[in-house]
Amino acid sequence: MEGGGRPSAAQAVLLATSTAITALLYSIYRQKARVARGLEGARKVRLDGDLRAVLLEAPGRCVPYAVIEGVVRSVKDTLSSQFVENCKGVVQRLTLQEHKMVWNRTTHLWNDYEKIIHQRTSTTPFDLVPAEDGAGVTVRVMKPLEAAELGLETVYEKFHPSVQSFTDVIGHYISGERPKGIQETEQMLKVGTALTGVGELVLDNATIKLQPPKQGMPYYLSSLDFQSLLQKQESSVRFWKILTVVFGFATCAVLFFLLRKQYRHHRERQHLRQMQEKFRQAQERLGSTEGGEVLKNACVVCLNSTKSCVFLECGHVCSCHECYQALPDPKKCPICRQGITRVVPLYNS
C-alpha cells in the first residue's frame, strides 16, 4: 500500500485486469448459456409426410428455430474429390497450410507456427431427405457455409516437407524462421452423410427450406446427432462457467486483500492519533500543576516516573524503563508506533 492507505499502481492494475477478465469471461458464459438454452428449446420436427402440414399450421408458415435430421442428397450435379476416386459430395474445401518454426527472442525457443496460404470452398445445392427410402418430402439446405458447425469429413491429407540445402539452413537460423513444409487437405460433405440441421424452417411456395435463423441464434449443419450436439454445447457452457467462477474468486481475493490492508492502515492511524491526543492532554495537565518544570520529563505512560530510555531506531525519549518492559510484544514506540529494535538507557546529570 502507498501512503494514505491507497493501493499501489501494480495492485490497482492487478485488480482492474482481474475484473476485466472476469467480466469478459462472464459475457462469453452468458452467450454460450443463451445458445445452449435456445438449442434445448428448439422445436424437433420429423422429416416425413407430416412436415408440410406442420409448416402450414405454423404462423407465417415458418418454425423460427427447428431441429431436423436427414441424409444429404445432391439436387443436380455433385462435386468429385480431386484425390479420392468415387468420392462424391456437395461441399468441398481444399486447404494449403504452411508449417514452420519461428524463433521466440523472449523465451529463446523454437515455436510451431501454422498459416493458411490458400483455401477454396465449393458448394452445390443439396437437400436433406429421410434415411428411409419412399418418403417424398425433402428439405432444401440454404447457405451451408454460414453454419457455425459444418460437418465436413477429411477425405485426403498429405504433408509435403521442405527440401533445404546447407545454405538455406544457415539463412533460416539467421532470419529466425525454419520452414517445415506444406500440408494439403481436402474436406467434403459427402452424399449420403447423416446430418443434423438446426435453423429456421420455412415453407416457400412448394419448397421447404432450412436457412440461418433471424433471431441471432447459431445455424448448425452437424454430423453429430442432436443429443451429442446439445451435450457439446452444454460442456462448453460448463467450461466457461468454471473459468468465470475461478477468475471471480481471484478478483474477490484481490479486492479483500486491498480492503484489509486499507482497514489495518486506518486502524493504525486512528490509534496513533489517540495516543498523540492522550500525550498532549497529559502534557497540559502536567504543565498546569505545581512543579511543572520538573514533571515535563515524566513518562508518557505512567506520568509518574522520569523518562529514562531512548527508543531506536525512531529516537523518541518518552518512557521509563519499567513502562518499556510492560509494553506488549512486539514492542512499538508509544509515540510513532514504529517497532523498537533496541533501547539505550538515558542518564540525567
Side-chain angles (χ1 to χ4, degrees):
M1 302 293 286
E2 294 181 346
R6 295 185 300 272
S8 64
Q11 292 170 341
V13 170
L14 177 62
L15 180 61
T17 303
S18 179
T19 304
I21 293 176
T22 302
L24 176 61
L25 293 176
Y26 180 72
S27 175
I28 297 175
Y29 159 70
R30 287 287 302 272
Q31 180 182 0
K32 296 289 184 180
R34 184 179 67 87
V35 170
R37 287 195 302 269
L39 190 60
E40 187 176 6
R43 182 175 177 180
K44 303 173 184 61
V45 296
R46 294 179 58 85
L47 190 53
D48 53 21
D50 297 332
L51 179 58
R52 190 178 301 274
V54 170
L55 291 174
L56 287 172
E57 294 176 358
R61 297 185 177 184
C62 170
V63 178
Y65 207 48
V67 179
I68 192 165
E69 297 179 348
V71 175
V72 174
R73 187 182 70 181
S74 176
V75 175
K76 296 180 181 178
D77 300 330
T78 57
L79 302 174
S80 299
S81 171
Q82 294 188 4
F83 305 98
V84 182
E85 293 184 0
N86 300 323
C87 182
K88 304 290 184 178
V90 293
V91 179
Q92 182 186 50
R93 178 172 293 164
L94 299 172
T95 304
L96 291 178
Q97 190 174 41
E98 179 186 15
H99 292 256
K100 61 183 178 180
M101 304 288 287
V102 178
W103 177 255
N104 191 316
R105 301 184 185 277
T106 303
T107 60
H108 299 284
L109 295 173
W110 289 95
N111 298 328
D112 289 324
Y113 178 79
E114 300 176 358
K115 178 183 177 182
I116 295 177
I117 57 179
H118 177 73
Q119 187 174 78
R120 186 186 69 191
T121 304
S122 304
T123 63
T124 187
F126 67 95
D127 294 337
L128 290 181
V129 300
E132 303 83 5
D133 295 334
V137 62
T138 62
V139 174
R140 179 67 49 84
V141 178
M142 310 300 294
K143 302 179 181 179
L145 298 184
E146 294 186 13
E149 183 173 332
L150 184 59
L152 299 180
E153 177 184 349
T154 301
V155 297
Y156 176 82
E157 189 173 19
K158 185 175 182 179
F159 184 76
H160 303 275
S162 299
V163 179
Q164 304 177 17
S165 64
F166 179 76
T167 306
D168 294 332
V169 172
I170 298 300
H172 297 156
Y173 272 96
I174 295 175
S175 64
E177 294 186 359
R178 292 164 48 189
K180 296 172 63 177
I182 303 295
Q183 182 172 347
E184 189 175 17
T185 306
E186 182 182 25
Q187 296 174 298
M188 296 191 72
L189 179 59
K190 296 193 293 185
V191 174
T193 301
L195 209 63
T196 300
V198 184
E200 184 182 66
L201 202 60
V202 60
L203 178 61
D204 185 8
N205 295 327
T207 305
I208 302 176
K209 296 180 180 179
L210 179 68
Q211 58 191 17
K214 295 184 174 62
Q215 65 262 74
M217 297 298 293
Y219 182 38
Y220 292 102
L221 293 173
S222 176
S223 57
L224 300 174
D225 60 85
F226 176 70
Q227 289 300 325
S228 299
L229 182 62
L230 181 59
Q231 290 175 2
K232 182 179 179 180
Q233 298 303 318
E234 291 175 344
S235 298
S236 176
V237 171
R238 286 193 296 270
F239 171 76
W240 288 104
K241 183 178 181 179
I242 291 173
L243 278 185
T244 303
V245 171
V246 169
F247 275 88
F249 273 118
T251 302
C252 292
V254 172
L255 182 60
F256 174 77
F257 172 78
L258 296 180
L259 292 177
R260 181 172 175 269
K261 284 284 188 180
Q262 190 171 12
Y263 174 73
R264 291 180 61 182
H265 180 82
H266 173 73
R267 288 292 300 272
E268 290 179 358
R269 288 182 60 87
Q270 187 178 24
H271 184 69
L272 178 60
R273 285 195 298 267
Q274 291 175 354
M275 292 291 295
Q276 290 174 343
E277 180 64 23
K278 290 180 180 179
F279 178 73
R280 185 185 61 80
Q281 294 175 358
Q283 289 284 31
E284 291 178 354
R285 289 197 301 270
L286 291 174
S288 63
T289 60
E290 295 182 357
E293 294 295 330
V294 179
L295 295 176
K296 285 183 179 179
N297 289 327
C299 170
V300 299
V301 180
C302 65
L303 302 179
N304 291 323
S305 301
T306 305
K307 303 172 184 175
S308 59
C309 50
V310 181
F311 296 153
L312 299 178
E313 302 293 332
C314 65
H316 283 123
V317 181
C318 59
S319 171
C320 63
H321 187 70
E322 290 77 10
C323 290
Y324 160 71
Q325 291 181 334
L327 291 175
D329 293 326
K331 299 184 184 299
K332 294 183 180 181
C333 174
I335 301 301
C336 64
R337 306 301 298 165
Q338 184 175 342
I340 301 173
T341 58
R342 61 194 183 100
V343 178
V344 177
L346 179 65
Y347 300 101
N348 295 319
S349 58

